[in-house]
Amino acid sequence: MRIDDMTPAEQRVWRAFPRGADVDFRTAADEDPARGADWGPGRTVRADVLRALLLSAPREDGETPALRLAGARITGELRLQYAEVDHAVRLSACFFDEVPVLYAARLRQLNLRGSVLPALGAETLRVDGVLRLSDCRFAGPVRLGGAQIAGALFLDGAEIGEPPEGRPALQLNHVTVGDGLSAPGLRVRGEVRLAGASVAGTVDLNGARLRAGTGAVAVDAETLTVEGDALLRDTDVLGWIGLRGARVAGRLDLTGARLANPGGTVLRASSCSIGELWLRRSPPMDGTLNLRRAQLDVLFLEPDSVPAEVLLNSLVYTSLTPHEPAGRRLVMLERDREGYVPHAYEQLTAAYRRIGDDDAARVVQLAKQRRRRATLPWYGRWWGHVQDAAVGYGFRPLRAAGWLLSLLLTGSVVYALHHPEPLKADEAPEFNPVFYTLDLLLPVISFGQEGAFAPTGWYQWLSYALVLTGWILATTVVTGVTRTVSRP
């Protein structure tokens, strides 16, 4: 393209490029580029001029070429598909009439900060440095699927409008980011797709507002890999977040997050591996929390942040914090949609035992037996009620001592007032109501009283009741002692 065919504004950009000089058409620092459609020819640059400039770059000895343009209206389609651009490109606070096409392009660095665009098509884009889309406003979808970014990807403060039906608003699936993904304050109307993406640093979505709609996918991050932290503090999400199979080496922080997907799953983090999961200082999620088969080193979960419905089967965590009484933690297990999940109780028991809180561990195990009782046939439930009332399934051994003392006192008083007849008067020992009652109550101990005397009438029925009760108490006590001795 000849410079004689260019407008004065385009000639200014062309001449500045070889020296990497800035060209700024803005008339005020707070100018809104969304009104760029009204900008006249004095600040309008054709996309074909920029393409010719980048692909047939004029040079000056001793200078580093770069495109640094601000406050311009760019008309036409900026077509750089498959192009290789060895220069830094900065088109900040610009207004694009048409969607830039950067499919499979390779750029040194790209900065579109503060620009307004209809959309962005940049699948499989390769950037050797930083890709900055900070404060950009996109009326349609941003497509970066399969992109390779050696540096960081910045989307902080960006706004992405609603895409065509059935397509994601922000497409980052299978993207590779050599540094971090920084997007605090990001606003998206539609799906954010991060499936299969790999981020070497931290994913920062603090304060983001992601509005996909009830029942829709807000964030699809299945098999996402994050070597740092994934931060979603104070985010506002309408729709569900999918993290199935994801791996976050550091912390998945949902502190203060407001997550809602009424009537459905709001966070699906099944089969994922996370260093630390933080759910605190936030209202309960409006929807189901799915942590089945997840592997966590630390679960930082405040009871007040637990939603009304959870799925916890096969969830494994090493540490549970903050330390709370067992009663407050059991509420979460009672909200499991699958009902009685033995593994969830064992995990909570193990967490308490690791910190030495054996009393809380026993409370959890007692609650487990009571939940299990409801799944048994009638005779199993009956026997469970007996064990619970007698010794709390062996976790309340002092209760057995109380029952034994009460029965010993009752039997001793009754048989002291009415001695049973000896079977052989000349061979029977002297009758002792206390040891006679002990003989009836303790099946493995004999004081020679039970076999020497035979009560009659209702006193005989009382002896039967004492024998049966003694066996029940002995069985439950042995069960409790065995459980205590054999626990991990």
Side-chain angles (χ1 to χ4, degrees), residues 253-321:
D253 192 346
L254 290 162
T255 299
R258 297 172 297 281
L259 309 182
N261 186 36
T265 299
V266 64
L267 176 59
R268 184 175 297 164
S270 56
S271 303
C272 64
S273 176
I274 301 173
E276 300 182 16
L277 174 58
W278 287 24
L279 294 167
R280 63 191 188 109
R281 295 208 304 268
S282 59
M285 300 176 185
D286 189 357
T288 302
L289 170 62
N290 184 348
L291 294 175
R292 287 185 295 191
R293 301 179 301 280
Q295 302 279 333
L296 313 176
D297 290 334
V298 177
L299 176 57
F300 194 128
L301 176 62
E302 293 179 347
D304 293 338
S305 297
V306 177
E309 189 173 75
V310 297
L311 290 167
L312 304 175
N313 199 1
S314 300
L315 165 67
V316 176
Y317 51 87
T318 303
S319 174
L320 178 62
T321 189

Side-chain angles (χ1 to χ4, degrees), residues 33-315:
R35 305 178 66 178
D38 298 330
W39 294 341
R43 52 192 305 184
T44 298
V45 179
R46 288 171 294 171
D48 287 344
V49 173
L50 297 180
R51 182 175 185 275
L53 184 65
L54 293 171
L55 298 183
S56 58
R59 294 178 176 272
E60 290 185 10
D61 292 340
E63 300 290 348
T64 302
L67 177 59
R68 294 189 172 94
L69 176 60
R73 176 186 177 184
I74 300 174
T75 60
E77 184 180 71
L78 180 58
R79 293 174 292 105
L80 291 173
Q81 63 268 36
Y82 302 108
E84 292 196 15
V85 179
D86 294 329
H87 322 290
V89 178
R90 187 181 70 194
L91 299 170
S92 56
C94 291
F95 179 88
F96 288 77
D97 282 350
E98 298 185 33
V99 179
V101 179
L102 307 178
Y103 181 85
R106 178 174 180 178
L107 305 176
R108 171 82 49 97
Q109 183 169 313
L110 179 60
N111 184 347
L112 299 177
R113 185 181 192 116
S115 292
V116 176
L117 307 92
L120 179 63
E123 296 94 332
T124 67
L125 171 70
R126 181 172 175 179
V127 181
D128 295 336
V130 170
L131 175 56
R132 188 177 295 275
L133 303 176
S134 305
D135 301 316
C136 285
R137 280 172 281 179
F138 300 92
V142 174
R143 302 189 301 274
L144 285 164
Q148 298 181 49
I149 303 166
L153 171 58
F154 290 93
L155 282 160
D156 44 304
E159 182 177 348
I160 302 174
E162 193 167 354
E165 187 175 356
R167 300 183 64 179
L170 176 56
Q171 185 176 337
L172 294 172
N173 51 301
H174 301 289
V175 71
T176 301
V177 182
D179 197 342
L181 168 55
S182 178
L186 173 68
R187 290 167 291 171
V188 180
R189 296 189 63 83
E191 176 188 345
V192 177
R193 186 171 294 175
L194 280 162
S198 178
V199 180
T202 290
V203 174
D204 184 353
L205 288 167
N206 289 333
R209 183 179 175 87
L210 312 176
R211 314 294 290 179
T214 301
V217 183
V219 180
D220 177 4
E222 292 190 357
T223 66
L224 167 70
T225 299
V226 180
E227 299 299 337
D229 299 327
L231 308 178
L232 288 90
R233 294 193 295 262
D234 301 313
T235 55
D236 187 351
V237 181
L238 178 60
W240 60 271
I241 299 175
L243 289 168
R244 185 176 62 86
R247 186 179 71 85
V248 179
R251 181 173 77 251
L252 174 57
D253 192 346
L254 290 162
T255 299
R258 297 172 297 281
L259 309 182
N261 186 36
T265 299
V266 64
L267 176 59
R268 184 175 297 164
S270 56
S271 303
C272 64
S273 176
I274 301 173
E276 300 182 16
L277 174 58
W278 287 24
L279 294 167
R280 63 191 188 109
R281 295 208 304 268
S282 59
M285 300 176 185
D286 189 357
T288 302
L289 170 62
N290 184 348
L291 294 175
R292 287 185 295 191
R293 301 179 301 280
Q295 302 279 333
L296 313 176
D297 290 334
V298 177
L299 176 57
F300 194 128
L301 176 62
E302 293 179 347
D304 293 338
S305 297
V306 177
E309 189 173 75
V310 297
L311 290 167
L312 304 175
N313 199 1
S314 300
L315 165 67

